[in-house]
Amino acid sequence: MYARKAKVAGVALVAAMWALSWPMAGGEEDSRSAPERVTVDVPVFEGGEGLDFFTQCAADYETQVPGVSIDLYGDPRIADKVRVRVLEGSYPDVTNAGLNYWALIRNGDILPLDEFLDGPNWENDSTWRDSFLTGSLERYTWEGKTYGIPFLYSVFAIWYNKTMFEENGWRPPTTWDEFLALCQTIEEAKLPAGWYDLDAFVDAGEMRPTTLKAYRASHPASAGEAVVHPLAFQGQYPDYAQSLIDSAYYHQVGRDGFYAQQNLEPGSFDNPQLIKALTLTQEVATKYFEPGCMGHSHTMAQQRFFNGKTAMIPCGSWLKSEMLGKIPEGFRLGAFNLPIVPGGKGDPTAVYTATSYYFVFRAAPHARQGVDFLRFMTSRAQAGKFCRMRDIVAAVKGATEGNVSEDLADLVRITNASKSAYGAAPGEGFPEFAQYWSDARVGVITGKLDPAQAARNLENGAIAVRARKANPDQITVRHVWQPLTLMGLLLAAIVYTVTVTLRGYRQEKSRGAAGTDAPRRLGLSWFNIVLFVGPAVILYTVFVVVPSLKSFVWSVNRWDGLTPMQYVGLQQFARMLFESDGFWIALRNNLYLMFVIPACVLPLSLFLATCISRNLWGSKVFRIVFFFPNILGSVAATLLWMQLYEPSGGPINRLLTAIGLDYFKGYAWTSQEHLYTALIPMSIWGACGFNMLLFLAAMESIPQSLYEAADLDGASAFRQFWTITLPLIWDVLSIAIVFMVIGGMKAFEVIWLFTNQRPVTEVHVVGTLMVQDMFTEYKVGEATAIAVLLFLMVFFGTAATLRLMRRETVEY
């Protein structure tokens, strides 16, 4: 009976789901096919464009289509949540979360949209396909089918201060020669930084325009005074320079040559055209970017532009939207297209673009209703509302007309005048090649890498990536003694740890059998043991042990985190140890953090603890002051130091220049070039207090009679520290060393935040390399192999260190 009822219930459930997912047409509800209200699940990325428009759009759709409810919600970390749902097969209907959609497309998980694109748009005055801007649908096309719907349309341009340009008679350039000449003119003008701020007095009627013009003409910047630089640059996001490189290259080789490079075709990097593009970018970066810009975040650089510190900034069409509420009143924004190299094969009117896309999951319960919502969201009325609310450009034809401010008029004019667009090539591309570009880009814009050498490095990287894609099982041995040394040390640590542990166990057992020095134990029944220890063991097993065991399984499989695994054995460990240059560079940086940072922190912590234990004046206050940094989380502390290290006016640079160290004027502490130097003061500030309290607690447990006896014997303070204090706090010192070593091996947050998730190869640590492999290059199996090796190094390295530093306990 129960089986029959269950079967009937199952049939009813399937029928209900079938009824709920019945397709709609034309955005209107068919009450006969969908008697119950349908809920469309739409998780979205909460980025610079916010959520206000999307929630309002969902409400408007529900008003027009009463039978459908849109469950739209956003989160900056929505990708992590959606990824878990994809893995468990609980698909949302529509999303724009940052996933590896190409793996999902190949696996058949994403719904092809051509059936709907060839149908009417929401207004029923053209096909849905024809309602999008030219080229915006190309990015996610595969085997003749289209999978992504564009919405936010980003056009890259050079933005400029219109008031500043008009006052000085500067004209927007078209070619690279004109652009470089303009930068030189601005550099030679030496206008006082922030000079345009006086316009506020004119607007308020407190100064005449003629008086302001005369004042500016008679007040050039004096020696040592901050001057207006040609270009602000978001140096902590070096990929902002990619638009300059790509633009110069595209206009020389044309669309086909540009996309051939993105597909890593042979010879598309080591050629005169790319060398010229890199040379032009290097010239403008090294001569005309604001000093210290490599330490500027995107917000900081953009704020300096709006505050009149620079005349121009390269950025996408989101510039004003992202800075709403931070732009000085009266600021007039202009834009001109990226400069061209004349005489080339590229379209001189083309715009460099990037677009955000929305996807529909094929197996989602309400996929067709999700498509209908996207039709509504990309209607001219809704897209126009988006442009109006955020003062930004959408990928829908006619959406910007009358819906953006005067500040975006130049950008709209550039977009409307363009005959073509270029950007990311259609197709999956090569995610792991991004690291090669990152290294070359930073080297070029900082002047540390010759453009010709950068082009050769990129060509060699393209050869390596193509070879790996063609034969993923092939391993090229580049390292021999490093992996052999590491495996030897790891094996020695394992043998030593196991041997010492077994020896200690046997000694304890023999002492117990002899009845001498046997430690007394509380007699607990198995019931009490399970009662007190069981819950903790269960929680630890479920949330730590089981996931750890799964990572061991993943490490021997090739897996992108979304599609089925492929068993490869120890191949990923072999590639990491014997082929990867990046792994050994990252491990070298971890060793720096393991040895250099403790060498600075531990002696100072011991000194401070000793001084306070001697009851020096103010010692109680110093205990609190030194421990304060540990109250802050690592992320909050990193953000604090970002402000202290700010290159243009940060407290540290101001202090150093005030005492005559002009070398630190505009010094970019947080640039990737100087990052590890910047970590030393940070680590001293952050770790000294905690270690000081550890040592102080151990020192205060030492009987005072030992020091009194030493005083009677005439022992100096140093002698007392060396023969009494240090031996008796040795166990605590050992623990502090282990903590520092573990911290050095597990380093992640500081490097990841200071590089804004874009570390070059020379800056990576093992933790950032692991995260990049997993979330940027979608190599989950390789990332877990790194995690397993890191676990083995930390676990057995720590165990061996503790046993090596163990001393006999002194009883008194």
Side-chain angles (χ1 to χ4, degrees), residues 481-495:
W481 70 266
Q482 296 102 317
L484 294 178
T485 302
L486 177 62
M487 288 189 291
L489 290 173
L490 187 58
L491 181 61
I494 294 172
V495 171

Side-chain angles (χ1 to χ4, degrees), residues 747-767:
F748 170 74
E749 293 95 341
V750 174
I751 307 298
W752 199 242
L753 288 172
F754 270 138
T755 60
N756 283 290
Q757 306 173 26
R758 293 164 173 82
V760 297
T761 299
E762 292 296 322
V763 173
H764 267 298
V765 289
V766 174

